[in-house]
Amino acid sequence: MDKVLFHYSKTYIKAVYNVSMPDLVKVVFDIPINDSFDYISEDKKIKIGSRVKVSFGNTTRIGVIVDVIAAESKPKTYKLKKIDEIIDEVPILTKEMFKTCRWASSYYHHPIGQVIFSAITPLHRKRRKEPTSKLKIQHNESFEELILNAEQKKIYKSIIEDKKKFKVNVIRGVTGSGKTELYVKLAKKSIEENSQILIMVPEINLIPQTLERFKKYLKIIPLQYHSNLTAVQKHKVWKACYEEDQIIVIGTRSSIFLPFRELGLIVIDEEHDSSYKQTEMFKYNARDIGILRGHNFKCPVILGSATPSFETIRNIKINKYREYRLEKRYHKSKLPMITIIDSSIDRPNEGLTNTLINSMKIELERNRRVILFLGRRGFSNSVICANCKTIVKCPRCGTNMTYHKNVEKLICHNCDYNQNVEQTVKCCDNQALTPLGIGTQRVENKIKQLFPNKSVMRVDSDNITSKKDLEDFIEKANNNEIDIFIGTQMIVKGHDFKDISLVGILNIDAGLYSTDFRGLEKTAQLITQVSGRSGRQSEHGNVLIQTHNPDHSILKTILKDGYEKFSHIALEQRKNVNLPPYSHIALIVLSSSNMNFSKSVLNKLREMNRNKSIFIYGPAQSKVPKRNNQYNYQLLVGSNSSKLLSEHISKFEIYLSSLNKKIRWHIDIDPLES
Ligand code: ADP
Ligand code: ZN
């Protein structure tokens, strides 16, 4: 039998032999091996995308079928195990999901088994009865009519003209310009035509308010999907996507792997947000997979942002994406006044300059609200001995320890090691530990002293840890119960706070002088987004930025001319050095207890590269140089062709796999941090 025919014409073989011969079945598991395993089965019900139970080593495992190949005429030559049990008669992976998983596995260089298992729910990993009760899609009989303003209407009309085509539409609009209402109206149209809809937001805490907006105007009540659901709840949403024709899901990045059958619209709100990138294990970007799925379903994809990512701006420029603008704020409130405070003149005490404190007094006396933003949680950055100037370091990884006052502990933000303050190793005879640097807790402390009669809330990942904390925070914010919010990144994302008249950015300098090539882009987005929290509903807001570098030229551009002008200048700079979005890059990160060994392996990879169209930087220390006594080194590999880059990464992978196991490595395609 012809080899090619054997592989590609299963039906032909069946017709010729017309006997029940065992098929060769390729199965993948949730293990870090980029390979499938062969089994045989005589069961003709077997289908790609179904789960099976098989023996694997000494145990039994659940795997997913990725291929079925008709057997050779002499099946006895196979010494393969049989499949013990077919769990799904109907494949749990739709064809489209299967295609998406294959693409993601090959693009992100991540084992196909692990990609597939991240696209199904925790309950699918076990052989047990699925929950019998189904999610009922609920209807809302008292929904309101949504009337768009002229600006919104124009965009709406243009997008629905091509509602059955794949097209990426960027809606650029400042916070409060009414992007959400536009999404709602588009969703309404799409759902009327029996489509499924996916709305993604970057943070779980944005889901409740987004849900409320959709509920108000739509007949169908959206489902939510995020990491805080129980395994059963996740399973039910997953199943509903698989079975229901009309469905809206509002979710965080993991919702991009839900098994939709007929998506009619994908919205990715705050598309620039780095939370769409998963940084652990399977390092995918949900925005980019969203665009792929839009292509698979031939449906429009909407990217919304006041501060589009440079990738998106570039795609607009080369006409890959279409741009729409919402120029005005819906409630016609003015954009805030931004003022710079020179911290080298007005020296901050516990992170706060006099100018900022005085402005706070004025606003709080008028019963307005204030947000203070800073990038660091905890009490202080690090702890120094005032006597001998030794900085307390993590005994495991050497990073400076962060002081957390509420639990009286020193915690390593790198490896999570923690110790009580008293346990600190004696550095000198007159040890005098003093906090250095400013974190949210330290500012909170000071603010409570300065404004004892005002209610203060700290919004960071130490203080907001559960769904209940989050609901509590949102409720208090909406009921105007909080006068002063002190927060990290968590507070930046699109919350619709009322009566915020002042935003203080405590220290922007780390962002201005970041070593990361995206540092300025992120800082500009941050300034613009935090400022957007101010003066939303009724009046002009104020933003005060504390910096030691008031003359920083990029900072000036951002403030004077705004994000857009800044992005043109910064994009030119990227172009000159051929970094994304002008090229594609990947990081190869190696960890081992032997620093020199890591470096020599990376140097070897570097030498392997003979192609002029590939550029390589490094080996260099990773952003996290050491973790749990393992040294991390990395190579940045780039090319103007993503295909060529991918081919090179594959070669490197083969080489790395051939090394002994003392070395661990991972690959990050399109890294957001380098
Ligand atoms: P964005 O999502 O761009 O930040 P929002 O959608 O939050 O902006 O809109 C700002 C405010 O304007 C919200 O309070 C919203 O409810 C209101 N709004 C926007 N468009 C409409 C509309 N067509 N009808 C009624 N209210 C609207
Ligand atoms: Zn540590």
Side-chain angles (χ1 to χ4, degrees):
M1 170 90 26
D2 185 323
K3 254 276 190 266
V4 176
L5 197 60
F6 160 69
H7 274 295
Y8 297 105
S9 178
K10 190 175 143 191
T11 38
Y12 175 72
I13 297 168
K14 293 254 175 74
V16 171
Y17 292 92
N18 198 24
V19 278
S20 165
M21 263 179 304
D23 290 329
L24 177 63
V25 183
K26 298 203 169 271
V27 178
V28 296
F29 304 99
D30 189 9
I31 52 173
I33 293 176
N34 197 18
D35 228 333
S36 58
F37 294 81
D38 293 349
Y39 291 86
I40 49 170
S41 171
E42 282 167 17
D43 196 323
K44 294 302 161 202
K45 288 195 301 254
I46 209 143
K47 290 193 182 87
I48 291 175
S50 294
R51 286 173 305 159
V52 288
K53 204 163 117 187
V54 293
S55 55
F56 183 83
N58 304 328
T59 58
T60 56
R61 267 182 185 269
I62 289 183
V64 174
I65 301 175
V66 293
D67 209 356
V68 180
I69 298 164
E72 253 179 288
S73 51
K74 281 183 235 132
K76 274 156 228 109
T77 56
Y78 288 133
K79 285 212 180 70
L80 294 175
K81 289 183 198 150
K82 278 194 177 176
I83 281 179
D84 294 346
E85 184 192 350
I86 301 171
I87 300 177
D88 311 300
E89 284 193 13
V90 182
I92 55 165
L93 277 189
T94 60
K95 280 210 174 84
E96 189 274 333
M97 262 326 291
F98 193 66
K99 187 171 162 188
T100 300
C101 287
R102 274 225 184 277
W103 178 87
S105 164
S106 113
Y107 184 82
Y108 292 109
H109 291 260
H110 197 77
I112 178 74
Q114 290 189 321
V115 173
I116 287 177
F117 273 83
S118 59
I120 56 184
T121 75
L123 289 197
H124 287 126
R125 290 161 192 268
K126 301 196 195 92
R127 177 72 184 114
R128 71 165 205 221
K129 279 234 154 49
E130 290 184 21
T132 43
S133 70
K134 271 196 193 174
L135 253 184
K136 259 193 78 168
I137 305 288
Q138 295 194 320
H139 288 241
N140 168 16
E141 297 308 333
S142 57
F143 60 91
E144 292 173 28
E145 187 70 35
L146 171 58
I147 299 159
L148 299 179
N149 68 19
E151 226 185 1
Q152 290 168 323
K153 205 177 280 169
K154 221 170 134 189
I155 302 175
Y156 170 77
K157 282 197 170 148
S158 170
I159 292 175
I160 55 162
E161 251 170 45
D162 284 328
K163 61 180 187 277
K164 299 280 182 215
K165 284 191 202 141
F166 166 66
K167 208 165 202 184
V168 183
N169 308 283
V170 181
I171 301 180
R172 189 200 274 256
V174 294
T175 356
S177 59
K179 293 188 288 295
T180 312
E181 267 70 13
L182 192 51
Y183 308 154
V184 175
K185 190 82 176 181
L186 288 163
K188 199 177 165 83
K189 183 77 185 169
S190 190
I191 205 104
E192 280 166 11
E193 308 194 344
N194 256 334
S195 286
Q196 299 179 312
I197 293 156
L198 173 63
I199 314 287
M200 281 205 288
V201 294
E203 285 276 323
I204 182 169
N205 43 4
L206 293 173
I207 293 181
Q209 66 181 50
T210 312
L211 193 80
E212 284 310 310
R213 297 267 200 103
F214 277 78
K215 242 163 99 173
K216 192 167 162 197
Y217 299 111
L218 295 187
K219 191 165 175 194
I220 291 194
I221 297 189
L223 304 177
Q224 35 179 320
Y225 192 82
H226 50 77
S227 56
N228 255 355
L229 298 181
T230 64
V232 172
Q233 286 170 324
K234 278 186 185 165
H235 191 87
K236 286 184 177 175
V237 177
W238 191 93
K239 198 109 180 132
C241 293
Y242 193 92
E243 289 171 352
E244 302 281 345
D245 294 334
Q246 285 182 317
I247 191 173
I248 305 179
V249 178
I250 300 178
T252 48
R253 79 175 166 239
S254 57
S255 56
I256 200 57
F257 286 111
L258 285 169
F260 296 101
R261 300 222 158 230
E262 204 50 70
L263 265 180
L265 177 70
I266 302 174
V267 173
I268 303 162
D269 195 23
E270 309 288 354
E271 66 84 30
H272 64 277
D273 199 297
S274 49
S275 303
Y276 284 121
K277 169 95 182 185
Q278 172 143 304
T279 51
E280 298 287 310
M281 300 294 290
F282 173 24
K283 299 175 174 53
Y284 65 91
N285 188 319
R287 175 194 62 202
D288 299 341
I289 297 182
I291 290 166
L292 171 85
R293 294 195 76 184
H295 186 260
N296 290 347
F297 283 109
K298 301 191 176 53
C299 76
V301 178
I302 313 285
L303 305 181
S305 179
T307 53
S309 65
F310 281 14
E311 276 69 17
T312 295
I313 295 178
R314 165 117 175 104
N315 281 322
I316 293 169
K317 274 193 183 159
I318 59 175
N319 289 324
K320 252 174 95 175
Y321 298 173
R322 163 113 197 233
E323 180 185 46
Y324 296 96
R325 285 168 188 264
L326 284 170
E327 306 278 3
K328 298 185 208 80
R329 281 182 152 188
Y330 186 80
H331 289 292
K332 304 200 171 60
S333 56
K334 294 181 195 131
L335 283 169
M337 277 276 298
I338 303 181
T339 312
I340 296 279
I341 305 170
D342 187 342
S343 307
S344 5
I345 298 169
D346 184 358
R347 296 204 163 234
N349 172 12
E350 298 294 282
L352 305 159
T353 57
N354 282 327
T355 317
L356 179 58
I357 293 171
N358 290 335
S359 300
M360 286 179 75
K361 278 187 189 144
I362 295 169
E363 296 308 321
L364 292 166
E365 261 161 35
R366 307 197 296 142
N367 286 322
R368 295 293 189 270
R369 299 183 164 71
V370 178
I371 291 179
L372 299 179
F373 169 85
L374 75 168
R376 181 175 292 121
R377 69 196 162 93
F379 186 77
S380 68
N381 183 9
S382 39
V383 178
I384 191 168
C385 169
N387 185 37
C388 75
K389 311 292 176 209
T390 304
I391 288 186
V392 182
K393 293 195 187 263
C394 169
R396 273 211 307 224
C397 76
T399 307
N400 295 351
M401 299 285 273
T402 301
Y403 176 44
H404 287 245
K405 191 178 169 65
N406 54 344
V407 287
E408 283 294 326
K409 268 183 192 291
L410 298 176
I411 301 177
C412 171
H413 284 190
N414 184 23
C415 74
D416 240 15
Y417 174 84
N418 70 78
Q419 66 181 30
N420 293 329
V421 178
E422 308 86 69
Q423 289 173 325
T424 310
V425 182
K426 274 255 171 295
C427 48
C428 63
D429 286 342
N430 290 319
Q431 188 176 44
L433 298 178
T434 326
L436 193 75
I438 307 289
T440 42
Q441 287 184 27
R442 191 163 174 182
V443 173
E444 182 189 22
N445 240 34
K446 183 72 187 172
I447 290 292
K448 282 183 170 163
Q449 287 168 17
L450 288 170
F451 304 101
N453 302 323
K454 294 291 175 182
S455 57
V456 179
M457 183 178 239
R458 179 158 52 82
V459 186
D460 60 23
S461 58
D462 290 320
N463 206 31
I464 312 278
T465 55
S466 66
K467 203 168 159 231
K468 207 190 142 292
D469 291 343
L470 183 66
E471 281 165 2
D472 188 50
F473 155 55
I474 291 170
E475 195 184 312
K476 283 190 172 148
N478 287 339
N479 294 342
N480 284 349
E481 285 172 44
I482 309 291
D483 303 307
I484 307 166
F485 296 94
I486 302 165
T488 55
Q489 240 68 17
M490 208 182 230
I491 209 158
V492 182
K493 326 250 162 138
H495 293 289
D496 200 0
F497 298 119
K498 291 191 189 77
D499 291 325
I500 299 285
S501 61
L502 174 65
V503 172
I505 302 179
L506 265 43
N507 184 2
I508 204 74
D509 297 347
L512 293 178
Y513 292 102
S514 162
T515 52
D516 192 324
F517 75 87
R518 284 183 217 269
L520 281 174
E521 177 186 348
K522 296 275 158 268
T523 306
Q525 287 166 351
L526 183 95
I527 294 175
T528 317
Q529 297 282 345
V530 183
S531 308
R533 305 294 131 233
S534 170
R536 290 191 47 134
Q537 297 262 344
S538 46
E539 57 192 286
H540 216 78
N542 278 301
V543 178
L544 296 180
I545 302 179
Q546 303 184 158
T547 174
H548 286 96
N549 309 281
D551 295 324
H552 192 286
S553 71
I554 292 286
L555 182 61
K556 278 176 150 170
T557 308
I558 300 168
L559 299 181
K560 191 165 144 277
D561 306 312
Y563 181 80
E564 189 164 6
K565 182 82 182 289
F566 154 78
S567 68
H568 291 315
I569 297 171
L571 268 161
E572 267 316 296
Q573 294 174 351
R574 291 276 183 90
K575 192 175 180 177
N576 294 339
V577 289
N578 198 28
L579 280 171
Y582 295 94
S583 64
H584 302 269
I585 60 168
L587 283 181
I588 301 181
V589 183
L590 244 62
S591 33
S592 109
S593 52
N594 183 334
M595 182 165 34
N596 291 329
F597 182 55
S598 296
K599 277 204 261 185
S600 71
V601 170
L602 290 173
N603 273 321
K604 175 86 190 159
L605 292 183
R606 206 192 153 106
E607 283 158 25
M608 275 168 65
N609 165 44
R610 292 272 176 269
N611 192 317
K612 282 221 171 67
S613 308
I614 295 278
F615 59 88
I616 295 188
Y617 298 124
Q621 260 191 357
S622 294
K623 194 156 190 162
V624 179
K626 191 181 166 200
R627 176 173 285 181
N628 284 329
N629 289 319
Q630 299 281 307
Y631 295 92
N632 298 325
Y633 273 81
Q634 67 185 28
L635 215 54
L636 187 154
V637 189
S639 172
N640 289 55
S641 148
S642 80
K643 189 163 162 277
L644 198 64
L645 176 64
S646 191
E647 284 166 14
H648 261 74
I649 296 292
S650 298
K651 273 195 229 165
F652 291 165
E653 273 183 302
I654 292 170
Y655 176 76
L656 290 169
S657 305
S658 72
L659 296 173
N660 73 22
K661 294 280 177 223
K662 262 193 273 166
I663 202 150
R664 290 165 29 119
W665 46 276
H666 70 253
I667 287 165
D668 188 352
I669 307 287
D670 304 333
L672 285 189
E673 289 187 2
S674 55

